[in-house]
Amino acid sequence: MMRFHHRSHCYHPLRRETIAGLFLLLFPVFLPCLFTPFSHASPSTFSEWNVPKPKHLPLLRSALQRESSNGELSDLWAPLADHGWRPCLRSVNAPSALPQKPEGFLQVFLDGGLNQQRMGICDAVAVAKILNATLVIPHLEVNPVWQDSSSFIDIFDVDHFINVLKDDISIVKELPDEFSWSTREYYATAIRATRIKRAPVHASANWYLDNVLPVLQSYGIAAISPFSHRLSFDNLPSGIQQLRCKVNFKALVFVPHIRALGDALVHRLSYPPGQSEPGSTNYLRETTDQNDKQRPQKFVVLHLRFDKDMAAHSACDFGGGKAEKLALAKYRQTLWQGRVLNSQFTDEELRSQGRCPLTPEEIGLLLAALGFDNSTRLYLASHKVYGGEARISTLRELFPLMEDKKSLASSEERVRIKGKASLLAAVDYYVGMQSDIFVSASPGNMHNALVGHRTFENRKTIRPNMALLGQLFLNKNITWSEFREAVVEGHQNRQGQLRLRKPKQSLYTYPSPDCMCQA
């Protein structure tokens, strides 16, 4: 960091005033985006320069003075009770049944972020099985928000993927030469007979047999784009449902360098650097301390889903006053051209319905009310927080042992994931799966994927009661004891207890009963 040393004897008062005036005149020239009210960059820049003060200051003050009993902490860290369900995955076909001649090659083009693409990959395998097609390793589109061009093989272990599914479907890394013309660019230039563009959301198996199979049989190849959320969760054979779960929970494994970095982060969270007493002659005490240090510490992973897009799309008030509201409204109009229904409601209506994402301050108050104290090791999983580091300051004040990728790993260790949103998210996903407790500040694809995966492995996951919290935070007269009692009571059954999937719900979030069996 550059440091500027002030030498008072070198500056005459008049010269200081002259330099200050010149700086004010030139500042808009060098940083015009800050002075252009309608530029695309102005909303985020403006909002991050005007971080609001805490919205719930009385609760925050009380939370900072909180004390947790050992009993509370032991209850929090206690593993989930055995729910009587077990992972239950098997191959759809016996190996001898697979070699029948496939109908052709199936390509899919997946948009969205990492976890949306992950679910699309699972669906692609299922559709290939329904059509008896050979699946080409899915193409991941460049996300327009994160601008990450990482491919399937940059994120997932492709050889493991193919090997785990070898008894279920045929998969190839690339098309043979005779179909090398079938590329993303080819389909972007004109209407093509081999592209299926209008696959309905949550289409049935019969839709694919009626609309895609004839294309495969005619041309030997079919490309479906877009493909996110294009397969129903209901009325499918149990074998197809199990195959989707097998892909999600067994076949999709991150590449080795992601796993290695994730393992390093988990180890540093579990075994933080200890403080020894150099020169001590108490051998028994040293041995006891050394044994204690070998015992892994528990930690919480918090997925803080509070980026600029989330804040703008929610149409909620985050305490930044009129300037922030105008900046978010402008950004919302730029990205979605008024197609945000939430903007028709007041902030009070949105909060009481649980439709506002929790701010870092609010998720910190939730965790404190549940009983986590300032000795809790917290790993912050997020890409870019709206408002920057200053917005996180209250959360860090509540949990001073909070870590993230930058604080735990050197820049050299992070060089292969730097600037790549999908790889950054993959590391967070991996660490989230290893944590003692996972908490997601707001629902979303990362939340849904990890809730389902941790349910599959019977790991504790706290799901914030958004409607309850919205109503509690609207009550400006609520005391800390009242807030804490309501939070504890409202989250007793939201800590990862198994919930059976209902019709139309995603089996990636609710893996039972499709992918699990009762013991």
Side-chain angles (χ1 to χ4, degrees):
M1 180 182 294
M2 297 181 65
R3 297 181 183 273
F4 296 91
H5 299 283
H6 176 61
R7 298 179 180 176
S8 58
H9 64 275
C10 294
Y11 292 92
H12 188 277
L14 182 59
R15 186 180 297 176
R16 281 203 303 267
E17 292 176 6
T18 303
I19 293 173
L22 183 61
F23 179 78
L24 287 173
L25 287 171
L26 294 177
F27 193 60
V29 176
F30 291 110
L31 292 172
C33 63
L34 297 181
F35 296 85
T36 307
F38 299 109
S39 72
H40 183 74
S42 61
S44 71
T45 307
F46 187 85
S47 62
E48 291 194 19
W49 278 56
N50 296 270
V51 177
K53 295 178 180 178
K55 285 190 69 175
H56 315 288
L57 195 55
L59 289 177
L60 182 60
R61 286 170 178 161
S62 298
L64 288 170
Q65 299 171 1
R66 72 198 185 281
E67 292 183 3
S68 298
S69 68
N70 290 332
E72 279 181 330
L73 291 174
S74 64
D75 288 342
L76 279 170
W77 296 114
L80 280 176
D82 189 343
H83 48 59
W85 289 79
R86 299 283 186 275
C88 188
L89 303 176
R90 55 182 176 270
S91 294
V92 178
N93 289 330
S96 60
L98 183 62
Q100 57 182 311
K101 184 180 178 181
E103 295 289 350
F105 293 94
L106 178 68
Q107 288 179 289
V108 295
F109 299 88
L110 304 175
D111 52 8
L114 171 69
N115 292 292
Q116 184 174 325
Q117 290 173 338
R118 181 189 187 101
M119 297 171 194
I121 293 166
C122 302
D123 287 349
V125 171
V127 170
K129 183 66 181 180
I130 290 168
L131 297 173
N132 184 30
T134 294
L135 178 67
V136 184
I137 291 296
H139 174 88
L140 308 185
E141 301 277 23
V142 177
N143 188 291
V145 175
W146 306 122
Q147 291 296 314
D148 186 356
S149 58
S150 298
S151 66
F152 184 105
I153 63 173
D154 294 326
I155 304 170
F156 300 106
D157 187 329
V158 66
D159 292 325
H160 176 86
F161 178 76
I162 293 173
N163 185 59
V164 169
L165 299 172
K166 67 180 185 298
D167 293 337
D168 300 294
I169 68 166
S170 173
I171 304 175
V172 295
K173 297 179 183 179
E174 296 178 350
L175 285 167
D177 291 343
E178 62 183 297
F179 292 110
S180 60
W181 49 265
S182 185
T183 63
R184 182 69 184 84
E185 293 72 25
Y186 173 76
Y187 293 110
T189 56
I191 296 174
R192 308 292 186 183
T194 52
R195 179 187 174 185
I196 291 85
K197 189 178 180 179
R198 303 192 182 279
V201 173
H202 297 157
S204 67
N206 286 336
W207 186 91
Y208 284 98
L209 292 170
D210 292 341
N211 294 274
V212 182
L213 184 57
V215 176
L216 280 173
Q217 292 171 333
S218 298
Y219 299 96
I221 190 169
I224 309 176
S225 176
F227 187 70
S228 295
H229 311 297
R230 290 307 196 273
L231 181 62
S232 172
F233 288 113
D234 302 313
N235 302 316
L236 290 172
S238 61
I240 296 297
Q241 300 287 64
Q242 281 225 332
L243 180 57
R244 296 164 94 175
C245 290
K246 184 177 181 180
V247 181
N248 193 34
F249 301 132
K250 298 298 180 184
L252 285 176
V253 170
F254 296 123
V255 290
H257 77 86
I258 294 289
R259 305 200 304 270
L261 179 56
D263 286 334
L265 299 181
V266 169
H267 187 270
R268 291 164 196 175
L269 287 163
S270 303
Y271 300 95
Q275 293 183 350
S276 59
E277 295 181 288
S280 171
T281 57
N282 190 330
Y283 175 80
L284 179 61
R285 180 175 177 179
E286 283 185 345
T287 304
T288 303
D289 288 347
Q290 190 175 19
N291 290 339
D292 286 342
K293 288 170 189 173
Q294 295 304 311
R295 190 176 302 138
Q297 293 192 19
K298 297 182 182 299
F299 67 94
V300 178
V301 166
L302 168 62
H303 179 232
L304 188 58
R305 189 169 183 242
F306 195 72
D307 54 46
K308 180 174 59 178
D309 287 15
M310 181 82 169
H313 193 274
S314 71
C316 298
D317 180 5
F318 299 109
K322 186 176 181 180
E324 183 180 71
K325 285 184 180 179
L326 289 173
L328 289 178
K330 174 60 181 176
Y331 186 78
R332 186 164 54 246
Q333 181 64 30
T334 301
L335 259 64
W336 296 288
Q337 288 79 44
R339 300 190 303 274
V340 179
L341 298 179
N342 283 357
S343 58
Q344 300 174 6
F345 298 93
T346 66
D347 182 70
E348 288 75 15
E349 289 172 330
L350 292 171
R351 290 192 178 278
S352 63
Q353 297 169 20
R355 296 167 71 177
C356 290
L358 297 177
T359 64
E361 175 192 1
E362 290 168 345
I363 195 69
L365 291 171
L366 164 65
L367 294 175
L370 287 171
F372 295 103
D373 61 18
N374 60 8
S375 69
T376 300
R377 296 190 64 76
L378 197 67
Y379 174 87
L380 188 61
S382 62
H383 182 58
K384 185 177 181 181
V385 176
Y386 170 67
E389 179 63 28
R391 179 82 72 166
I392 309 173
S393 59
T394 51
L395 177 62
R396 196 178 297 281
E397 194 174 1
L398 286 165
F399 297 97
L401 300 183
M402 186 168 72
E403 306 277 8
D404 58 21
K405 291 180 286 294
K406 288 186 178 180
S407 67
L408 288 172
S410 67
S411 57
E412 291 79 9
E413 290 175 304
R414 293 182 282 108
V415 68
R416 296 181 70 177
I417 65 171
K418 185 178 180 180
K420 299 181 183 296
S422 293
L423 300 186
L424 291 164
V427 172
D428 285 339
Y429 189 105
Y430 187 88
V431 177
M433 277 304 300
Q434 310 305 317
S435 65
D436 297 280
I437 298 173
F438 175 77
V439 185
S440 182
S442 302
N445 288 322
M446 178 85 157
H447 165 95
N448 294 338
L450 270 165
V451 164
H453 205 155
R454 289 177 66 89
T455 296
F456 186 76
E457 297 190 4
N458 197 38
R459 295 173 179 260
K460 182 171 279 190
T461 307
I462 296 175
R463 297 179 299 109
N465 188 330
M466 303 294 287
L468 170 66
L469 291 169
Q471 294 164 16
L472 294 177
F473 286 129
L474 283 171
N475 183 356
K476 299 305 179 184
N477 298 316
I478 193 169
T479 66
W480 175 249
S481 60
E482 292 170 337
F483 177 78
R484 185 175 180 180
E485 182 180 356
V487 165
V488 170
E489 183 179 348
H491 289 83
Q492 286 180 347
N493 296 315
R494 301 180 68 88
Q495 299 189 24
Q497 293 87 349
L498 185 139
R499 296 170 293 161
L500 295 178
R501 188 177 73 85
K502 298 176 182 178
K504 297 184 179 180
Q505 288 183 331
S506 168
L507 59 78
Y508 306 123
T509 308
Y510 305 95
S512 182
D514 301 275
C515 314
M516 305 180 76
C517 308
Q518 282 188 298

